[in-house]
Amino acid sequence: MTAMRFPVLILGALWLAGCASTPGDDGAPDSASDEAPITTDGPPANEPPVDVTKVPQPEPRAEPLSRLGNPDSYDVMGQRYRVLTSARGYRETGTASWYGRKFHGRSTSSGEPYDMYELTAAHKELPLPSYARVTNLENGKEIIVRINDRGPFHSDRIIDLSYAAAAQLGFLDNGTAKVKVETIATGTARSDNPANPALYLQTGAFSNARNARGLAKRLEEMGLDRVFVSPTASDPPLYRVRIGPYPDAQGLADARQRLADQGIQSNTLRD
């Protein structure tokens, strides 16, 4: 990667609670951390411990919202941002950037440590956590990321990706890329009761991601909510088209009947 500086895009949990932060090397707010600061961002200083091009994509699932990362609104550099109450149906096209070693191990806005080797992202408004499909419009590559942080606080950028995510989308060297962001609705919380597991429908599994996305789009056009494509960790991966979770058996049965009316077979899954 050519030598360049990337925006400081993480808000630590203490910062979101109202603690003051000082500007980073590019003028954006730094995250709260007791560690000795690294003044410039970029790729790992040494050989990555994993092959980031093969890090498996996260499987979208319902999760409780972060207690720390979802205030009604927050202010950064004189600009007020309002957190959306739902990620459902969110689509946006614009510029993506990425962040790396400067923040590795530090707290994200959700309170989780940032891991540059996972497929995560920062967004100004989406609930934390959320899942989104990010497509690099310059080369056609697409991945799923889990959004667990706030940023980027630059008017010309819409999402900030982890080092691994940028690697898989093919824009590490460029630093930025034009992307499309589409959220994957998953509900509000995964069932933690083994006697009442979360219910899903699977409508297909494809070796080609484009074919999986084609079926997912058809399901969305039918008015079905919570449709997502889930890649397996195998090499090469299979792309599974799933719907859910459903809070009860009746909701799942209704969705299955709608699919059957359109000639689409489905299998029930329990998480």
Side-chain angles (χ1 to χ4, degrees), residues 79-101:
Q79 175 71 41
R80 173 155 294 186
Y81 299 92
R82 298 191 180 278
V83 176
L84 299 174
T85 58
S86 172
R88 184 168 299 170
Y90 187 94
R91 291 176 174 83
E92 187 177 16
T93 299
T95 300
S97 51
W98 64 269
Y99 58 122
R101 68 171 182 264

PDB file of all heavy atoms in Angstrom, residues 79-101:
ATOM      1  N   GLN A  79     -21.326  18.445  14.240  1.00  0.00           N
ATOM      2  CA  GLN A  79     -22.368  17.831  13.422  1.00  0.00           C
ATOM      3  C   GLN A  79     -23.143  16.833  14.275  1.00  0.00           C
ATOM      4  O   GLN A  79     -22.556  16.016  14.975  1.00  0.00           O
ATOM      5  CB  GLN A  79     -21.752  17.103  12.226  1.00  0.00           C
ATOM      6  CG  GLN A  79     -22.734  16.337  11.367  1.00  0.00           C
ATOM      7  CD  GLN A  79     -23.634  17.255  10.558  1.00  0.00           C
ATOM      8  OE1 GLN A  79     -23.178  18.260  10.020  1.00  0.00           O
ATOM      9  NE2 GLN A  79     -24.900  16.912  10.476  1.00  0.00           N
ATOM     10  N   ARG A  80     -24.479  16.903  14.203  1.00  0.00           N
ATOM     11  CA  ARG A  80     -25.306  15.971  14.959  1.00  0.00           C
ATOM     12  C   ARG A  80     -25.729  14.818  14.055  1.00  0.00           C
ATOM     13  O   ARG A  80     -26.169  15.019  12.921  1.00  0.00           O
ATOM     14  CB  ARG A  80     -26.542  16.662  15.538  1.00  0.00           C
ATOM     15  CG  ARG A  80     -27.538  15.697  16.199  1.00  0.00           C
ATOM     16  CD  ARG A  80     -28.387  16.375  17.236  1.00  0.00           C
ATOM     17  NE  ARG A  80     -27.563  16.815  18.373  1.00  0.00           N
ATOM     18  CZ  ARG A  80     -28.066  17.333  19.491  1.00  0.00           C
ATOM     19  NH1 ARG A  80     -29.369  17.511  19.623  1.00  0.00           N
ATOM     20  NH2 ARG A  80     -27.255  17.701  20.474  1.00  0.00           N
ATOM     21  N   TYR A  81     -25.603  13.611  14.581  1.00  0.00           N
ATOM     22  CA  TYR A  81     -26.003  12.401  13.861  1.00  0.00           C
ATOM     23  C   TYR A  81     -27.096  11.702  14.658  1.00  0.00           C
ATOM     24  O   TYR A  81     -27.001  11.590  15.886  1.00  0.00           O
ATOM     25  CB  TYR A  81     -24.813  11.463  13.673  1.00  0.00           C
ATOM     26  CG  TYR A  81     -23.691  12.070  12.878  1.00  0.00           C
ATOM     27  CD1 TYR A  81     -22.639  12.738  13.522  1.00  0.00           C
ATOM     28  CD2 TYR A  81     -23.672  12.003  11.490  1.00  0.00           C
ATOM     29  CE1 TYR A  81     -21.607  13.308  12.796  1.00  0.00           C
ATOM     30  CE2 TYR A  81     -22.638  12.571  10.759  1.00  0.00           C
ATOM     31  CZ  TYR A  81     -21.614  13.218  11.419  1.00  0.00           C
ATOM     32  OH  TYR A  81     -20.603  13.789  10.692  1.00  0.00           O
ATOM     33  N   ARG A  82     -28.116  11.232  13.965  1.00  0.00           N
ATOM     34  CA  ARG A  82     -29.214  10.523  14.613  1.00  0.00           C
ATOM     35  C   ARG A  82     -29.148   9.041  14.246  1.00  0.00           C
ATOM     36  O   ARG A  82     -29.020   8.698  13.074  1.00  0.00           O
ATOM     37  CB  ARG A  82     -30.565  11.125  14.201  1.00  0.00           C
ATOM     38  CG  ARG A  82     -30.704  12.591  14.625  1.00  0.00           C
ATOM     39  CD  ARG A  82     -32.115  13.116  14.463  1.00  0.00           C
ATOM     40  NE  ARG A  82     -32.203  14.512  14.875  1.00  0.00           N
ATOM     41  CZ  ARG A  82     -32.327  14.927  16.130  1.00  0.00           C
ATOM     42  NH1 ARG A  82     -32.392  14.028  17.108  1.00  0.00           N
ATOM     43  NH2 ARG A  82     -32.385  16.210  16.419  1.00  0.00           N
ATOM     44  N   VAL A  83     -29.245   8.206  15.240  1.00  0.00           N
ATOM     45  CA  VAL A  83     -29.160   6.762  15.027  1.00  0.00           C
ATOM     46  C   VAL A  83     -30.520   6.234  14.591  1.00  0.00           C
ATOM     47  O   VAL A  83     -31.543   6.530  15.217  1.00  0.00           O
ATOM     48  CB  VAL A  83     -28.693   6.050  16.318  1.00  0.00           C
ATOM     49  CG1 VAL A  83     -28.691   4.546  16.127  1.00  0.00           C
ATOM     50  CG2 VAL A  83     -27.311   6.553  16.711  1.00  0.00           C
ATOM     51  N   LEU A  84     -30.534   5.478  13.517  1.00  0.00           N
ATOM     52  CA  LEU A  84     -31.773   4.910  13.008  1.00  0.00           C
ATOM     53  C   LEU A  84     -32.319   3.867  13.978  1.00  0.00           C
ATOM     54  O   LEU A  84     -31.564   3.144  14.630  1.00  0.00           O
ATOM     55  CB  LEU A  84     -31.544   4.270  11.642  1.00  0.00           C
ATOM     56  CG  LEU A  84     -31.059   5.211  10.535  1.00  0.00           C
ATOM     57  CD1 LEU A  84     -30.725   4.420   9.276  1.00  0.00           C
ATOM     58  CD2 LEU A  84     -32.120   6.265  10.236  1.00  0.00           C
ATOM     59  N   THR A  85     -33.624   3.777  14.061  1.00  0.00           N
ATOM     60  CA  THR A  85     -34.239   2.792  14.952  1.00  0.00           C
ATOM     61  C   THR A  85     -34.285   1.409  14.327  1.00  0.00           C
ATOM     62  O   THR A  85     -34.477   0.413  15.025  1.00  0.00           O
ATOM     63  CB  THR A  85     -35.669   3.227  15.319  1.00  0.00           C
ATOM     64  OG1 THR A  85     -36.446   3.389  14.111  1.00  0.00           O
ATOM     65  CG2 THR A  85     -35.651   4.547  16.078  1.00  0.00           C
ATOM     66  N   SER A  86     -34.120   1.325  13.009  1.00  0.00           N
ATOM     67  CA  SER A  86     -34.131   0.033  12.329  1.00  0.00           C
ATOM     68  C   SER A  86     -33.182   0.075  11.142  1.00  0.00           C
ATOM     69  O   SER A  86     -33.015   1.118  10.505  1.00  0.00           O
ATOM     70  CB  SER A  86     -35.544  -0.311  11.840  1.00  0.00           C
ATOM     71  OG  SER A  86     -35.544  -1.465  11.025  1.00  0.00           O
ATOM     72  N   ALA A  87     -32.569  -1.068  10.851  1.00  0.00           N
ATOM     73  CA  ALA A  87     -31.686  -1.174   9.686  1.00  0.00           C
ATOM     74  C   ALA A  87     -32.437  -1.644   8.452  1.00  0.00           C
ATOM     75  O   ALA A  87     -31.883  -1.669   7.358  1.00  0.00           O
ATOM     76  CB  ALA A  87     -30.548  -2.149   9.989  1.00  0.00           C
ATOM     77  N   ARG A  88     -33.686  -1.999   8.602  1.00  0.00           N
ATOM     78  CA  ARG A  88     -34.436  -2.626   7.514  1.00  0.00           C
ATOM     79  C   ARG A  88     -34.577  -1.692   6.312  1.00  0.00           C
ATOM     80  O   ARG A  88     -34.941  -0.526   6.427  1.00  0.00           O
ATOM     81  CB  ARG A  88     -35.817  -3.037   8.006  1.00  0.00           C
ATOM     82  CG  ARG A  88     -36.650  -3.773   6.986  1.00  0.00           C
ATOM     83  CD  ARG A  88     -37.865  -4.390   7.631  1.00  0.00           C
ATOM     84  NE  ARG A  88     -37.470  -5.352   8.652  1.00  0.00           N
ATOM     85  CZ  ARG A  88     -38.321  -5.899   9.516  1.00  0.00           C
ATOM     86  NH1 ARG A  88     -39.593  -5.557   9.498  1.00  0.00           N
ATOM     87  NH2 ARG A  88     -37.886  -6.772  10.406  1.00  0.00           N
ATOM     88  N   GLY A  89     -34.263  -2.225   5.135  1.00  0.00           N
ATOM     89  CA  GLY A  89     -34.479  -1.503   3.889  1.00  0.00           C
ATOM     90  C   GLY A  89     -33.483  -0.412   3.581  1.00  0.00           C
ATOM     91  O   GLY A  89     -33.676   0.341   2.625  1.00  0.00           O
ATOM     92  N   TYR A  90     -32.381  -0.315   4.336  1.00  0.00           N
ATOM     93  CA  TYR A  90     -31.421   0.773   4.127  1.00  0.00           C
ATOM     94  C   TYR A  90     -30.524   0.451   2.929  1.00  0.00           C
ATOM     95  O   TYR A  90     -29.897  -0.608   2.860  1.00  0.00           O
ATOM     96  CB  TYR A  90     -30.571   0.957   5.378  1.00  0.00           C
ATOM     97  CG  TYR A  90     -29.661   2.159   5.350  1.00  0.00           C
ATOM     98  CD1 TYR A  90     -30.061   3.368   5.896  1.00  0.00           C
ATOM     99  CD2 TYR A  90     -28.404   2.082   4.772  1.00  0.00           C
ATOM    100  CE1 TYR A  90     -29.229   4.475   5.875  1.00  0.00           C
ATOM    101  CE2 TYR A  90     -27.556   3.181   4.747  1.00  0.00           C
ATOM    102  CZ  TYR A  90     -27.985   4.379   5.299  1.00  0.00           C
ATOM    103  OH  TYR A  90     -27.148   5.458   5.272  1.00  0.00           O
ATOM    104  N   ARG A  91     -30.450   1.379   1.980  1.00  0.00           N
ATOM    105  CA  ARG A  91     -29.570   1.256   0.813  1.00  0.00           C
ATOM    106  C   ARG A  91     -28.905   2.593   0.561  1.00  0.00           C
ATOM    107  O   ARG A  91     -29.538   3.639   0.674  1.00  0.00           O
ATOM    108  CB  ARG A  91     -30.354   0.821  -0.432  1.00  0.00           C
ATOM    109  CG  ARG A  91     -30.869  -0.604  -0.377  1.00  0.00           C
ATOM    110  CD  ARG A  91     -31.719  -0.936  -1.602  1.00  0.00           C
ATOM    111  NE  ARG A  91     -32.113  -2.330  -1.643  1.00  0.00           N
ATOM    112  CZ  ARG A  91     -33.142  -2.837  -0.989  1.00  0.00           C
ATOM    113  NH1 ARG A  91     -33.889  -2.044  -0.248  1.00  0.00           N
ATOM    114  NH2 ARG A  91     -33.430  -4.127  -1.077  1.00  0.00           N
ATOM    115  N   GLU A  92     -27.626   2.546   0.227  1.00  0.00           N
ATOM    116  CA  GLU A  92     -26.878   3.781   0.022  1.00  0.00           C
ATOM    117  C   GLU A  92     -25.701   3.502  -0.901  1.00  0.00           C
ATOM    118  O   GLU A  92     -25.094   2.433  -0.864  1.00  0.00           O
ATOM    119  CB  GLU A  92     -26.383   4.295   1.372  1.00  0.00           C
ATOM    120  CG  GLU A  92     -25.730   5.669   1.337  1.00  0.00           C
ATOM    121  CD  GLU A  92     -25.336   6.131   2.727  1.00  0.00           C
ATOM    122  OE1 GLU A  92     -25.287   5.302   3.659  1.00  0.00           O
ATOM    123  OE2 GLU A  92     -25.063   7.330   2.885  1.00  0.00           O
ATOM    124  N   THR A  93     -25.396   4.474  -1.760  1.00  0.00           N
ATOM    125  CA  THR A  93     -24.243   4.381  -2.644  1.00  0.00           C
ATOM    126  C   THR A  93     -23.327   5.561  -2.383  1.00  0.00           C
ATOM    127  O   THR A  93     -23.785   6.697  -2.249  1.00  0.00           O
ATOM    128  CB  THR A  93     -24.675   4.380  -4.118  1.00  0.00           C
ATOM    129  OG1 THR A  93     -25.511   3.246  -4.357  1.00  0.00           O
ATOM    130  CG2 THR A  93     -23.467   4.298  -5.044  1.00  0.00           C
ATOM    131  N   GLY A  94     -22.032   5.289  -2.294  1.00  0.00           N
ATOM    132  CA  GLY A  94     -21.084   6.366  -2.031  1.00  0.00           C
ATOM    133  C   GLY A  94     -19.679   5.809  -1.874  1.00  0.00           C
ATOM    134  O   GLY A  94     -19.371   4.715  -2.350  1.00  0.00           O
ATOM    135  N   THR A  95     -18.835   6.558  -1.174  1.00  0.00           N
ATOM    136  CA  THR A  95     -17.425   6.195  -1.036  1.00  0.00           C
ATOM    137  C   THR A  95     -17.169   5.480   0.282  1.00  0.00           C
ATOM    138  O   THR A  95     -17.622   5.921   1.337  1.00  0.00           O
ATOM    139  CB  THR A  95     -16.548   7.449  -1.112  1.00  0.00           C
ATOM    140  OG1 THR A  95     -16.742   8.088  -2.376  1.00  0.00           O
ATOM    141  CG2 THR A  95     -15.067   7.092  -0.967  1.00  0.00           C
ATOM    142  N   ALA A  96     -16.426   4.369   0.197  1.00  0.00           N
ATOM    143  CA  ALA A  96     -15.984   3.639   1.378  1.00  0.00           C
ATOM    144  C   ALA A  96     -14.495   3.871   1.583  1.00  0.00           C
ATOM    145  O   ALA A  96     -13.739   4.056   0.632  1.00  0.00           O
ATOM    146  CB  ALA A  96     -16.250   2.147   1.215  1.00  0.00           C
ATOM    147  N   SER A  97     -14.067   3.855   2.841  1.00  0.00           N
ATOM    148  CA  SER A  97     -12.653   3.890   3.194  1.00  0.00           C
ATOM    149  C   SER A  97     -12.396   2.720   4.143  1.00  0.00           C
ATOM    150  O   SER A  97     -13.292   1.919   4.398  1.00  0.00           O
ATOM    151  CB  SER A  97     -12.290   5.229   3.850  1.00  0.00           C
ATOM    152  OG  SER A  97     -13.184   5.529   4.911  1.00  0.00           O
ATOM    153  N   TRP A  98     -11.177   2.607   4.668  1.00  0.00           N
ATOM    154  CA  TRP A  98     -10.912   1.524   5.622  1.00  0.00           C
ATOM    155  C   TRP A  98      -9.970   1.995   6.720  1.00  0.00           C
ATOM    156  O   TRP A  98      -9.272   2.982   6.573  1.00  0.00           O
ATOM    157  CB  TRP A  98     -10.359   0.287   4.914  1.00  0.00           C
ATOM    158  CG  TRP A  98      -9.020   0.425   4.231  1.00  0.00           C
ATOM    159  CD1 TRP A  98      -8.799   0.776   2.939  1.00  0.00           C
ATOM    160  CD2 TRP A  98      -7.724   0.169   4.789  1.00  0.00           C
ATOM    161  NE1 TRP A  98      -7.457   0.773   2.654  1.00  0.00           N
ATOM    162  CE2 TRP A  98      -6.766   0.385   3.763  1.00  0.00           C
ATOM    163  CE3 TRP A  98      -7.275  -0.238   6.043  1.00  0.00           C
ATOM    164  CZ2 TRP A  98      -5.398   0.225   3.971  1.00  0.00           C
ATOM    165  CZ3 TRP A  98      -5.903  -0.400   6.255  1.00  0.00           C
ATOM    166  CH2 TRP A  98      -4.980  -0.173   5.219  1.00  0.00           C
ATOM    167  N   TYR A  99      -9.995   1.287   7.828  1.00  0.00           N
ATOM    168  CA  TYR A  99      -9.097   1.615   8.937  1.00  0.00           C
ATOM    169  C   TYR A  99      -8.439   0.347   9.466  1.00  0.00           C
ATOM    170  O   TYR A  99      -8.971  -0.743   9.331  1.00  0.00           O
ATOM    171  CB  TYR A  99      -9.803   2.385  10.043  1.00  0.00           C
ATOM    172  CG  TYR A  99     -11.012   1.766  10.719  1.00  0.00           C
ATOM    173  CD1 TYR A  99     -11.019   1.570  12.094  1.00  0.00           C
ATOM    174  CD2 TYR A  99     -12.176   1.455  10.013  1.00  0.00           C
ATOM    175  CE1 TYR A  99     -12.134   1.063  12.744  1.00  0.00           C
ATOM    176  CE2 TYR A  99     -13.294   0.948  10.653  1.00  0.00           C
ATOM    177  CZ  TYR A  99     -13.273   0.739  12.013  1.00  0.00           C
ATOM    178  OH  TYR A  99     -14.381   0.244  12.665  1.00  0.00           O
ATOM    179  N   GLY A 100      -7.223   0.516  10.029  1.00  0.00           N
ATOM    180  CA  GLY A 100      -6.431  -0.658  10.340  1.00  0.00           C
ATOM    181  C   GLY A 100      -5.713  -0.629  11.660  1.00  0.00           C
ATOM    182  O   GLY A 100      -6.316  -0.516  12.717  1.00  0.00           O
ATOM    183  N   ARG A 101      -4.371  -0.680  11.615  1.00  0.00           N
ATOM    184  CA  ARG A 101      -3.570  -0.968  12.803  1.00  0.00           C
ATOM    185  C   ARG A 101      -3.689   0.085  13.895  1.00  0.00           C
ATOM    186  O   ARG A 101      -3.499  -0.226  15.069  1.00  0.00           O
ATOM    187  CB  ARG A 101      -2.102  -1.137  12.422  1.00  0.00           C
ATOM    188  CG  ARG A 101      -1.416   0.143  11.952  1.00  0.00           C
ATOM    189  CD  ARG A 101       0.102  -0.065  11.800  1.00  0.00           C
ATOM    190  NE  ARG A 101       0.774   1.156  11.401  1.00  0.00           N
ATOM    191  CZ  ARG A 101       1.070   1.463  10.144  1.00  0.00           C
ATOM    192  NH1 ARG A 101       0.754   0.607   9.180  1.00  0.00           N
ATOM    193  NH2 ARG A 101       1.677   2.598   9.852  1.00  0.00           N
TER     194      ARG A 101
END
